[in-house]
Amino acid sequence: MEPWSNIEPEPFMALVREGKLSPDQIIDVREMDEWNYYHLDNSTLMPLSTFQEDSDAINKDRTVYVICAHGVRSAAVCRYLSERGYGNLTNVIGGMAAVSSLDGFQYD
């Protein structure tokens, strides 16, 4: 069992829409071109290609939701962070493809 939790797109987007998450709690690990294509306004871009340098900016005291395109890179980031002592991590299952479809956007 992973030391982080997973969240389905629907409850995740409910938290976003209700304003319950701040930008420092939603970490998007996709690359800049993916971000430019579609992203959540209330999120922070930390591309996987530079993630090791940027990860110190993540607040260890808050629940952090990690998202990528489909949920694979975000799970890897959750593993990386948990191995470095971060807790309160949540992987968004299905990634941006699943989240964007809730708003009628075809990601792929």
Side-chain angles (χ1 to χ4, degrees):
M1 186 166 152
E2 294 96 5
W4 63 86
S5 60
N6 292 297
I7 190 169
E8 294 286 339
E10 293 85 359
F12 170 71
M13 284 305 292
L15 293 171
V16 170
R17 289 181 183 126
E18 293 167 8
K20 294 185 176 179
L21 302 178
S22 61
D24 68 328
Q25 289 183 276
I26 305 171
I27 306 300
D28 189 329
V29 297
R30 297 173 304 143
E31 298 302 318
M32 181 62 77
D33 60 330
E34 295 171 289
W35 169 271
N36 289 337
Y37 180 61
Y38 184 93
H39 66 272
L40 298 174
D41 290 333
N42 196 27
S43 62
T44 300
L45 177 64
M46 287 189 183
L48 191 59
S49 61
T50 60
F51 190 79
Q52 288 182 337
E53 296 106 45
D54 300 335
S55 63
D56 288 341
I58 297 173
N59 188 338
K60 288 185 176 184
D61 299 325
R62 301 187 74 187
T63 299
V64 174
Y65 296 81
V66 185
I67 192 165
C68 65
H70 298 283
V72 177
R73 289 176 282 181
S74 55
V77 166
C78 285
R79 175 171 281 108
Y80 173 84
L81 291 172
S82 67
E83 290 171 352
R84 281 146 188 82
Y86 287 78
N88 303 318
L89 301 167
T90 304
N91 178 44
V92 181
I93 296 173
M96 200 59 74
V99 166
S100 65
S101 70
L102 297 174
D103 287 332
F105 185 85
Q106 181 64 40
Y107 185 80
D108 294 320

